[in-house]
């Protein structure tokens, strides 16, 4: 799909993969609405519109979608469900509140955002939904059980959704990165890139690769790992 002039919504844009994807889609000529609780610091662009939204709240998602339509005056062609968080530890070592926080963001919020954009995408017979999951959605890991559960849910949702909407010309891609050097989990990226981790820009490039595939092609899943491991 030619991205120039088209409209994308990206969730979780303050830093990391979300911000890197914003910058790359703007470079491709898109108009981008960034939804999140926090705007990207020191970032302005005439085709970027930050819309404050807590995707865990269904009513806020509806308002953000209406604000996006009003601000950009165009139908939405791309949704990147990137917002996510992880609370790690043994199952009997973290609270029910932390469990619900993960599902409310990683699963329920993703559902609210997807449901908001689908009617227009079906109507225009054109659209692409990118769900950023994780390799944690392919294999369980000790002390990541809650996070793995949310990412397994995202992968299953994506697999079912693409089969549901492909007759209307809507594409769905589940992107599953391994280790990425971001602020995820509260860790700060190092001064020099870690050769054993991917960079946010690498994941953004994979997202653009899936979006720019010919309309006759749907990349349904992308698994990504660092080339070298420690």
């Amino acid at each position: 799909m030619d991205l120039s002039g088209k409209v994308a919504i990206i969730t979780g844009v303050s830093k990391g993969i979300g911000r890197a994807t914003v910058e790359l889609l703007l470079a491709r000529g898109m108009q981008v609405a960034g939804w999140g609780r926090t705007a990207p610091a020191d970032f302005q662009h005439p085709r970027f519109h930050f819309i404050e939204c807590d995707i865990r709240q269904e009513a806020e998602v509806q308002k953000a979608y209406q604000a996006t339509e009003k601000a950009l005056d165009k139908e939405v062609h791309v949704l990147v469900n990137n917002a996510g968080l992880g609370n790690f530890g043994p199952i009997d070592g973290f609270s029910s509140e932390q469990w619900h926080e993960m599902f409310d963001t990683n699963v329920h919020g993703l559902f609210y955002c997807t449901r908001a954009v689908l009617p227009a995408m079906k109507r225009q017979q054109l659209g692409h939904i990118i769900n950023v999951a994780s390799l944690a959605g392919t294999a369980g890991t000790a002390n990541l059980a809650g996070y793995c559960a949310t990412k397994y849910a995202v992968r299953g949702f994506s697999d079912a959704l693409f089969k549901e909407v492909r007759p209307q010309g809507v594409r769905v891609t589940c992107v599953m990165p391994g280790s990425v050097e971001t602020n995820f989990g509260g860790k700060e990226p190092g001064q020099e890139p870690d050769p054993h981790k991917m960079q946010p820009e690498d994941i953004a490039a994979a997202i653009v690769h899936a979006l720019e595939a010919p309309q006759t092609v749907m990349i349904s899943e992308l698994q990504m790992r660092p080339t070298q491991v420690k």
Side-chain angles (χ1 to χ4, degrees):
M1 179 169 68
D2 181 10
L3 301 180
S4 180
K6 297 203 167 49
V7 172
I9 294 169
I10 304 176
T11 67
V13 294
S14 62
K15 58 187 68 172
I17 294 170
R19 176 163 177 165
T21 305
V22 166
E23 294 180 3
L24 196 50
L25 292 185
L26 289 170
R28 289 296 199 277
M30 296 194 79
Q31 296 189 63
V32 179
W35 294 4
R37 290 180 290 173
T38 306
D42 304 319
F43 182 76
Q44 289 185 328
H45 191 284
R47 286 184 276 107
F48 176 71
H49 305 265
F50 176 73
I51 297 172
E52 188 173 349
C53 175
D54 182 349
I55 65 165
R56 297 173 299 179
Q57 306 299 323
E58 187 174 4
E60 288 196 28
V61 170
Q62 291 297 325
K63 288 181 181 178
Y65 184 72
Q66 293 166 4
T68 299
E69 287 189 312
K70 184 176 181 180
L72 302 180
D73 195 30
K74 285 187 176 182
E75 290 182 313
V76 174
H77 306 93
V78 171
L79 168 66
V80 181
N81 281 311
N82 167 69
L85 58 89
N87 296 317
F88 306 147
I91 284 297
D92 56 354
F94 63 92
S95 67
S96 298
E97 288 76 18
Q98 290 175 306
W99 176 275
H100 286 288
E101 183 183 33
M102 281 192 291
F103 271 89
D104 285 343
T105 303
N106 301 358
V107 182
H108 303 151
L110 179 144
F111 164 68
Y112 299 147
C113 295
T114 300
R115 190 174 59 177
V117 304
L118 269 181
M121 287 185 177
K122 288 181 176 181
R123 187 169 57 247
Q124 66 203 18
Q125 298 278 294
L126 181 68
H128 201 147
I129 296 168
I130 304 280
N131 293 327
V132 179
S134 167
L135 289 182
T138 67
T141 302
N143 297 315
L144 269 71
Y147 181 70
C148 289
T150 66
K151 294 306 184 178
Y152 267 85
V154 171
R155 189 183 185 191
F157 176 80
S158 303
D159 189 48
L161 182 64
F162 96 71
K163 294 167 183 172
E164 179 178 323
V165 299
R166 68 194 303 192
Q168 287 83 34
V170 179
R171 299 188 291 182
V172 179
T173 302
C174 186
V175 178
M176 293 173 280
S179 298
V180 182
E181 193 166 26
T182 68
N183 296 80
F184 189 81
K187 297 179 180 178
E188 291 292 331
Q191 292 290 328
E192 298 294 328
D194 186 335
H196 304 291
K197 290 186 177 181
M198 297 176 289
Q199 298 301 308
E201 294 77 14
D202 300 328
I203 314 306
I207 289 171
V208 170
H209 171 69
L211 291 173
E212 290 186 329
Q215 186 59 28
T216 54
V217 176
M218 176 171 56
I219 300 171
S220 57
E221 286 193 344
L222 271 173
Q223 294 190 16
M224 303 179 65
R225 296 169 172 83
T227 299
Q228 295 181 313
V229 295
K230 290 184 178 180

